[in-house]
Amino acid sequence: MHLCRTDRQTLRQQAGTAFRRLGILLALACLTVAAPALAAEAPRGWLGPWAEGQRSAVRLVAAPQTPDQAARGELSLGLDFRMDPGWKLYWRSPGDAGLPPAINAGASPSVADGQIVATRIHWPLPERFTAFETIHTYAYADHVLLPVTAQLAPDRPAVPESAAGPVRLRVDYQVCEALCIPVTADLALDVPAGPADPLDRTAAEAEAAIAAAQASVPAIASDPAAAPFAAVSAGWIVAEGDAPARLIVEAKSDAPFSPAADVFIEGPDGFAFSPPDARRLDDGRRIRFVADVAPPTADARLLGETVRLTLRDAPPGAGLRAVETTAQVVPAPATLPGPEGGLVAALLIGLLGGLILNVMPCVLPVLSIKLMGLVATRGLGRGDVRASLLATAAGILLSFLALALAAAGLKLAGVAVGWGIQFQQPAFIGMMIVLMALFAASQLGVFTIRAPVLSGGLARDAVAEADGRPKLGRAVMSGVVATLLATPCSAPFVGTALGFALAGGTADILAVFAAMGLGMALPYLAIAAVPSAIRLLPRPGRWMVWVKVAMGLALAGTALWLTLVLSRLVQPGAAAAVAVLAALAALLPLVITKARLLRWAGVGGLAVAAVATAVLASPPATRGLQTMPAGGPWIPFAASAIAEDVAKGRVVFVDVTASWCVTCIVNEERVLAVDPVAGRLAMPDVVAMKADWTRPDPAIADYLAGFGRYGIPFNVVYGPGAPQGLVLPELLTADAVTRALDRARGNGAG
């Protein structure tokens, strides 16, 4: 049978159509069979593709494997995030809200199939953000690369020789603005094996990006005490009343901290920390951060826990510094060192403390002499009275500034400083014994002191010179003497102001001491402003003679008291020799009446001999403010035993005192040595410790500094209800002590 041409063409067309359809079906079949393999394909190289998410994107980055990394079976990766403007990605500790990025090990193919056994994210330093004024978070804005160390399995399935490892990771993260959006991204990258091609610019780009991110990860200081820049301690203050619980973090630096210094605090689950207030100390080389702890009802569960502290600073021109440390939370003093209002509050408190110093026991021997001097100025003109009073105020201010400079210099030299510590030095006490003896002799009429340095009151200061002007030099020195006699006392508020000053830098010391001097000089300045107020005082009369005698006897008693203080520092025989030499110096002008030069040369020689005796005398074999009889309540101070006693349920009362501290002696005689306090201290569950600071003792100085205190008296009560200690006021009362003992015991009193 023959087919026509038209039929043959039709058959060819049909056959071609069938073959084409068969080819399409075969192609579809091949694609269907290869689909899983194609789905598992991943780009090969150093920079993965961006996985787009809502308001963000992330990609996987890999750095060429170094020989050391290859030997350890590690890959250096990076999770490269970018966020829309205004959106943020959270740090490992988000703060009050949010979740940090995490590698989902259970859903990551490379982890599930055993090719990667572990991953570790390294966290560059974040920024602190505040939302709605109360929500504080740590996050990254705009863009961040998180370095990741991936540990490859040593027996992982075989991979092509050209690949160091096929990486398949699933990453969960949140991006937040006013609201937070959860995002999940599947990332894949076949990392080439061996060194990168020098001409491969993507390898250099990936390596540089990971290295830059790793450089911004804070270093870890394994030994904070030895590190030049680190946070070194964390102290807990329990919540009281409306005040929240607080955590005090102290840090140190080999260079002064800048105002930008900050610390990020990470604690156990359930605790959050507010942005801390910072105060720089020790001329900026130490800093104290105080952060509120949430929730407001937080209790002492944080005690004993370990917190992670990330310290950061950015001094101008020095670049960013950051280091990570850990610290165990321990009890902190119940009161913060210095006023919380900062320098302004410290100045106001110092002003008030200086004013109160005028009526403290240490100054009482010269207080009446001051009043007599004011009475004697009634006959002078207003200008002369004002000049004399201003000169005395200037002497007080100059004395306080001199004390401030001395304290700052000793502190910079690394010597322990404190209020009144000059009374720990035999030379100073010997000089004061001679001074008080001469002063007493003058008041008792043995002779008239004309040397400016020994002029203690305004009575002679105000007497006119030949030209009718007052003797202002003597008025200045009367302020100096008053200041020297005030230093053994720590009046209310003085301890707080001193704690702020001596814990700070040189500028803080000068400012606070100047405020205290201004406070002590205020009575003189007030009368100088209104000189006519002197007319309110009694008129001069014979009564002044009897007051003068009484003051002479009081000053002689002061000299005897200083002799007893000296006997605590040197051998009693040497202290007695100093007293005898001082008495001879005071009586010598009465014996030698004509030869003025010989008379004062003898006084000076005896004074020098008294001071030299005090300096050269050897210290006594034992020290102690008061005797501690066997069976009595008092035992020597031992800081290391306090925590052990409290753990056994005991109450510990610590009394830091000294024989030269008049306020301490008043507290002892009027409160601690009489009932009801004496009976409470003798109870079996109470341990009464006496810390004698009559002589220099670094352990006591460090203990005081731990509370931010540099003067005495200082009393603290510890117990199960107050393991961090309750600080008592400088002037004790029986009610204050008993309430503190009850509260420390945990009775809930007070």
Side-chain angles (χ1 to χ4, degrees):
M1 181 177 72
H2 298 280
L3 296 176
C4 67
R5 182 186 180 103
T6 302
D7 293 334
R8 289 197 296 271
Q9 290 177 344
T10 300
L11 289 174
R12 284 198 296 271
Q13 291 173 352
Q14 291 175 348
T17 301
F19 278 116
R20 284 196 296 273
R21 290 175 178 174
L22 180 59
I24 292 173
L25 291 174
L26 290 173
L28 289 174
C30 290
L31 288 173
T32 302
V33 172
L38 292 175
E41 288 287 341
R44 182 174 177 275
W46 311 105
L47 301 175
W50 289 102
E52 299 289 340
Q54 295 190 55
R55 301 292 184 178
S56 63
V58 60
R59 66 176 176 177
L60 192 60
V61 178
Q65 199 176 34
T66 65
D68 288 342
Q69 290 175 330
R72 295 193 302 267
E74 292 180 353
L75 281 179
S76 183
L77 307 175
L79 299 176
D80 194 10
F81 292 91
R82 66 185 185 192
M83 288 74 69
D84 288 357
W87 291 77
K88 295 174 281 293
L89 182 81
Y90 287 112
W91 189 47
R92 67 184 178 209
S93 292
D96 294 336
L99 290 173
I103 296 173
N104 191 331
S108 296
S110 291
V111 178
D113 65 15
Q115 296 197 45
I116 295 177
V117 295
T119 58
R120 180 188 176 195
I121 299 178
H122 306 275
W123 301 92
L125 198 68
E127 297 178 72
R128 190 192 295 275
F129 294 91
T130 300
F132 306 109
E133 298 183 356
T134 57
I135 300 176
H136 308 287
T137 57
Y138 308 101
Y140 309 100
D142 301 327
H143 174 263
V144 67
L145 188 148
L146 302 181
V148 177
T149 298
Q151 183 67 48
L152 302 176
D155 55 349
R156 64 187 184 278
V159 296
E161 293 182 359
S162 60
V167 181
R168 314 288 188 271
L169 297 177
R170 175 167 291 178
V171 179
D172 298 320
Y173 64 96
Q174 280 187 355
V175 287
C176 295
E177 191 193 34
L179 54 85
C180 291
I181 301 175
V183 181
T184 296
D186 288 316
L187 308 177
L189 185 64
D190 283 344
V191 181
D197 185 342
L199 300 180
D200 189 345
R201 299 177 62 181
T202 62
E205 178 184 346
E207 187 173 28
I210 293 176
Q214 191 70 52
S216 64
V217 175
I220 297 177
S222 57
D223 185 3
F229 176 79
V232 295
S233 68
W236 170 265
I237 294 182
V238 297
E240 292 187 6
D242 295 333
R246 286 170 290 181
L247 192 72
I248 301 177
V249 174
E250 292 209 5
K252 64 172 185 176
S253 175
D254 54 352
F257 284 98
S258 77
D262 197 1
V263 66
F264 302 154
I265 306 171
E266 302 171 74
D269 291 340
F271 288 95
F273 305 89
S274 69
D277 295 325
R279 184 187 165 210
R280 291 179 290 171
L281 311 170
D282 291 340
D283 289 327
R285 287 178 169 79
R286 190 164 60 92
I287 195 167
R288 178 179 292 121
F289 299 97
V290 181
D292 292 345
V293 183
T297 57
D299 55 25
R301 287 179 293 123
L302 198 58
L303 283 175
E305 297 287 346
T306 298
V307 292
R308 182 157 48 177
L309 307 169
T310 303
L311 178 67
R312 58 156 291 169
D313 193 15
L320 181 67
R321 303 179 74 187
V323 67
E324 177 186 314
T325 60
T326 58
Q328 187 179 37
V329 179
V330 297
T335 55
L336 290 178
E340 294 185 49
L343 180 59
V344 174
L347 294 177
L348 294 175
I349 291 174
L351 186 73
L352 183 58
L355 180 62
I356 297 175
L357 275 176
N358 283 286
V359 295
M360 294 302 292
C362 310
V363 191
L364 288 179
V366 295
L367 184 59
S368 296
I369 299 176
K370 296 179 187 178
L371 293 176
M372 290 175 58
L374 293 174
V375 171
T377 61
R378 287 172 58 101
L380 296 179
R382 294 168 60 92
D384 291 340
V385 171
R386 180 178 287 115
S388 182
L389 291 167
L390 291 177
T392 301
I396 294 173
L397 286 170
L398 290 173
S399 300
F400 271 90
L401 289 176
L403 290 173
L405 291 173
L410 290 173
K411 188 177 180 187
L412 290 174
V415 179
V417 293
W419 181 250
I421 61 171
Q422 66 270 28
F423 280 85
Q424 297 175 341
Q425 305 303 320
F428 179 83
I429 297 180
M431 181 186 69
M432 292 298 294
I433 291 173
V434 174
L435 183 63
M436 291 299 101
L438 293 173
F439 209 164
S442 176
Q443 294 298 308
L444 293 173
V446 175
F447 62 93
T448 299
I449 299 177
R450 298 189 181 277
V453 73
L454 300 179
S455 181
L458 290 175
R460 285 178 306 280
D461 303 337
V463 176
E465 299 279 12
D467 60 358
R469 306 302 301 172
K471 301 177 181 179
L472 299 183
R474 297 183 181 181
V476 170
M477 295 312 300
S478 69
V480 174
V481 173
T483 302
L484 291 177
L485 287 176
T487 51
C489 283
S490 181
F493 305 107
V494 168
T496 303
L498 287 173
F500 183 94
L502 296 177
T506 301
D508 291 333
I509 294 174
L510 291 172
V512 173
F513 271 69
M516 292 172 58
L518 181 61
M520 189 170 177
L522 272 180
Y524 299 96
L525 297 174
I527 299 176
V530 188
S532 59
I534 293 179
R535 299 186 181 277
L536 300 176
L537 296 174
R539 292 181 178 275
R542 291 187 58 83
W543 64 270
M544 295 180 64
V545 176
W546 296 107
V547 171
K548 189 175 180 181
V549 171
M551 283 298 95
L553 295 176
L555 290 168
T558 302
L560 290 176
W561 164 65
L562 289 173
T563 303
L564 293 176
V565 174
L566 183 62
S567 68
R568 307 287 183 177
L569 302 177
V570 301
Q571 293 292 342
V578 172
V580 170
L581 290 171
L584 291 176
L587 296 174
L588 190 62
L590 184 64
V591 177
I592 305 176
T593 57
K594 293 183 179 181
R596 178 177 299 179
L597 181 61
L598 179 62
R599 178 173 59 187
W600 292 114
V603 169
L606 290 171
V608 171
V611 175
T613 301
V615 172
L616 298 176
S618 59
T622 59
R623 67 177 65 183
L625 174 63
Q626 289 114 356
T627 57
M628 299 182 189
W634 295 102
I635 64 172
F637 171 73
S640 58
I642 295 175
E644 181 180 349
D645 286 328
V646 172
K648 295 178 180 178
R650 298 171 182 163
V651 173
V652 180
F653 183 92
V654 177
D655 178 31
V656 185
T657 183
S659 59
W660 43 261
C661 172
V662 178
T663 311
C664 302
I665 296 174
V666 171
N667 285 339
E668 171 75 19
E669 298 297 331
R670 296 183 57 184
V671 179
L672 300 181
V674 297
D675 287 329
V677 174
R680 297 289 298 274
L681 295 179
M683 295 177 66
D685 66 337
V686 176
V687 179
M689 292 186 179
K690 193 175 291 294
D692 181 8
W693 209 32
T694 299
R695 298 162 68 184
D697 190 324
I700 296 176
D702 291 344
Y703 177 74
L704 290 171
F707 285 86
R709 297 298 181 93
Y710 298 87
I712 55 175
F714 184 68
N715 297 276
V716 192
V717 182
Y718 301 86
Q724 77 284 353
L726 300 173
V727 178
L728 297 175
E730 285 89 350
L731 291 177
L732 296 180
T733 64
D735 184 58
V737 176
T738 54
R739 282 192 290 112
L741 291 171
D742 288 336
R743 185 175 170 188
R745 184 176 281 108
N747 293 350

